Amino acid sequence: MAVKRCVSDIDVVKAAEIRIKNVFNNKLPVYMSFSGGKDSLCLAQLVVNLIQQGQINPAQLTVQFIDEEAIFPCIEKTVLAWRQRFLLLGAKFEWYCLEVKHYNCFNELTNDESFICWDSLKKDVWVRSIPSCAITSHKRLRPRKDAYQDFLPRVCADGITITGVRTAESIQRLQNFALMVQAGKNITNKQQILPIYDWSNNDVWLYLKEQKVDIPEIYLFLWQSGSTKTALRVSQFFSIDTARSLVKMNEYYPDLMERIIRREPNAYLAALYWDSEMFGRNSRTRKKLEQDKKKRDYKAELLVIFSHPDSGMSKHKLRVWKSYRNLFLQTHTILQDRDCREMYEGYMSGDPKLRTYRALFQRIYNGYINNAKAAMKEGAKNGR
């Protein structure tokens, strides 16, 4: 789907402030998702500024932090500081340490995609201890069955949620938001408003700099270790975005890998294969290591993979397999070598939320359309 961008006569900060004020003007409870990451810090600073200016009512606000156990120490420190700040302003702050399901990219070998945060059966190997201020149970939670995406909408059903989701993070987010707006909506089906949806990466870092917001040191460590600006994404250790960086971060947190492997034994894979297709890596080091190898026929390998599913596949893995198989069958006549490689590596890395799949779908068809238009233009130019 083509997405048309429109230029506004106000900047993104002013636009975000207007959206936030409109949410509070409904006089309903407002729930703000907070993670301690760069995007939620921008949203939090916007909200704090509006409270201090007297433009929104802090009594309406409940800030919610889902503590996923396996997080960096600096993230916990940042959230604690902001918790105190919001409480002093008169808002509520809910710090949840719950037994919720979380995808674990290290569990591909055991066909188990359900990491349980704060697993009560594994207290002796928790990555860290539960903070004293945390909420550890809730009547609307189905322990060990819900993901936090299932739980939170039940808690927030009486109000509106604001989150720091941005469309610049992925092409599928941009398309989903464009479809929502095209349908005449400005709120998601989970009663969410996205005040900074149109911010770029540069907008985020510039706002944090201008507002003098302290950022978690993990971002500096990632930058020092060679991560690109677009790769400065921090999440729970066992998510694919962070798993790629764990080995590098051991330099800054010497006991990090020891604690992680104690909690999740398969995490040793990060040390062995962090620069491989398992974690979706395509670095210069990997290219250099593989440059002398015989050129791989990725289309042939995809044919083997999609000939039939493995008998031991989990339901989740089977769903991913079917999605990639259908895309391959639909596009195999127009696939380029690069497409086949990216499809192979996307599938092999697990792609739990089908982000790579959706980006591939978009790029393959857009590439085909653009090539067809170029061929038609060239034909018309040559009088054919």
Side-chain angles (χ1 to χ4, degrees):
M1 184 191 88
V3 177
K4 183 179 180 180
R5 299 176 186 269
C6 299
V7 178
S8 174
D9 57 355
I10 58 175
D11 61 42
V12 292
V13 174
K14 184 64 177 177
E17 290 175 344
I18 292 172
R19 293 168 193 143
I20 294 169
K21 286 189 288 186
N22 286 342
V23 170
F24 279 83
N25 286 340
N26 284 283
K27 306 302 180 183
L28 294 171
V30 178
Y31 299 92
M32 188 182 84
S33 295
F34 185 72
S35 69
K38 63 183 190 302
D39 298 336
S40 70
L41 286 174
C42 287
L43 180 58
Q45 187 63 48
L46 285 163
V47 170
V48 164
N49 288 348
L50 291 173
I51 291 174
Q52 292 176 331
Q53 294 165 15
Q55 299 194 54
I56 59 176
N57 180 10
Q60 289 176 248
L61 178 64
T62 300
V63 184
Q64 297 173 320
F65 173 59
I66 298 292
D67 190 332
E68 297 169 311
E69 181 195 337
I71 62 175
F72 291 102
C74 59
I75 294 293
E76 180 178 8
K77 180 180 177 182
T78 296
V79 178
L80 282 169
W82 278 87
R83 174 181 178 271
Q84 183 179 24
R85 191 173 184 184
F86 277 111
L87 291 175
L88 289 172
L89 287 170
K92 293 181 284 294
F93 196 106
E94 297 175 343
W95 187 310
Y96 288 108
C97 290
L98 304 172
E99 288 187 277
V100 292
K101 294 196 302 184
H102 193 289
Y103 182 80
N104 181 358
C105 69
F106 295 123
N107 276 355
E108 285 292 305
L109 295 182
T110 59
N111 288 316
D112 173 17
E113 285 83 26
S114 297
F115 174 85
I116 304 296
C117 298
W118 304 110
D119 192 335
S120 58
L121 304 178
K122 299 182 179 180
K123 288 185 177 181
D124 57 326
V125 292
W126 281 352
V127 176
R128 35 184 276 277
S129 300
I130 291 181
S132 59
C133 60
I135 300 168
T136 58
S137 64
H138 198 284
K139 62 183 180 181
R140 290 192 174 97
L141 173 73
R142 295 179 301 172
R144 309 180 71 87
K145 292 182 180 179
D146 286 337
Y148 68 84
Q149 295 94 335
D150 304 314
F151 162 68
L152 282 181
R154 299 187 203 120
V155 177
C156 308
D158 63 336
I160 301 173
T161 300
I162 55 175
T163 71
V165 170
R166 295 185 298 115
T167 57
E169 293 284 303
S170 66
I171 184 64
Q172 53 269 27
R173 284 184 180 178
L174 175 61
Q175 292 171 336
N176 290 340
F177 194 87
L179 285 170
M180 186 177 74
V181 173
Q182 189 178 32
K185 301 178 180 178
N186 54 17
I187 192 169
T188 72
N189 58 4
K190 292 186 178 181
Q191 297 297 98
Q192 291 180 331
I193 295 289
L194 318 177
I196 63 169
Y197 78 92
D198 50 355
W199 288 33
S200 68
N201 286 328
N202 287 340
D203 292 329
V204 167
W205 293 115
L206 179 60
Y207 184 74
L208 293 174
K209 177 178 181 293
E210 290 180 340
Q211 294 291 315
K212 297 180 173 57
V213 178
D214 289 333
I215 61 173
E217 61 185 2
I218 182 61
Y219 286 112
L220 303 178
F221 295 159
L222 287 170
W223 181 256
Q224 291 169 2
S225 67
S227 294
T228 62
K229 186 164 58 176
T230 56
L232 295 178
R233 300 177 69 175
V234 178
S235 57
Q236 196 246 27
F237 291 158
F238 307 136
S239 298
I240 191 68
D241 293 332
T242 299
R244 300 168 179 168
S245 308
L246 287 179
V247 175
K248 293 181 179 180
M249 292 305 99
N250 206 44
E251 176 182 347
Y252 302 97
Y253 301 105
D255 65 335
L256 181 66
M257 284 304 295
E258 181 182 344
R259 287 187 287 123
I260 292 173
I261 292 174
R262 187 170 65 246
R263 178 67 167 93
E264 175 46 65
N266 282 338
Y268 76 91
L269 292 171
L272 296 177
Y273 303 114
W274 68 274
D275 199 16
S276 72
E277 63 197 21
M278 179 176 289
F279 295 106
R281 292 281 296 178
N282 196 24
S283 67
R284 294 178 183 175
T285 303
R286 180 185 169 193
K287 289 177 182 177
K288 185 176 180 180
L289 290 172
E290 296 180 355
Q291 66 182 357
D292 296 328
K293 292 184 178 180
K294 182 180 178 180
K295 185 177 180 180
R296 294 173 66 172
D297 187 343
Y298 285 101
K299 180 174 277 192
E301 294 191 41
L302 289 171
L303 282 169
V304 173
I305 290 172
F306 297 137
S307 60
H308 57 80
D310 293 337
S311 57
M313 277 187 182
S314 64
K315 289 183 180 180
H316 170 80
K317 189 68 176 178
L318 183 60
R319 181 174 70 88
V320 174
W321 180 86
K322 287 180 178 179
S323 298
Y324 272 83
R325 179 178 181 271
N326 290 341
L327 179 60
F328 179 73
L329 292 176
Q330 293 167 10
T331 62
H332 71 279
T333 58
I334 61 173
L335 289 177
Q336 305 294 318
D337 289 342
R338 177 190 171 193
D339 300 325
C340 291
R341 172 173 178 160
E342 291 192 9
M343 188 178 295
Y344 173 85
E345 296 193 345
Y347 175 76
M348 295 302 290
S349 67
D351 201 9
K353 298 182 180 178
L354 292 177
R355 291 174 177 169
T356 303
Y357 161 81
R358 292 192 292 268
L360 266 171
F361 187 98
Q362 178 79 8
R363 193 173 63 75
I364 290 170
Y365 279 107
N366 280 352
Y368 175 73
I369 292 170
N370 291 336
N371 289 339
K373 287 181 178 178
M376 291 176 63
K377 187 175 182 180
E378 185 66 22
K381 181 179 177 181
N382 295 330
R384 294 201 298 271

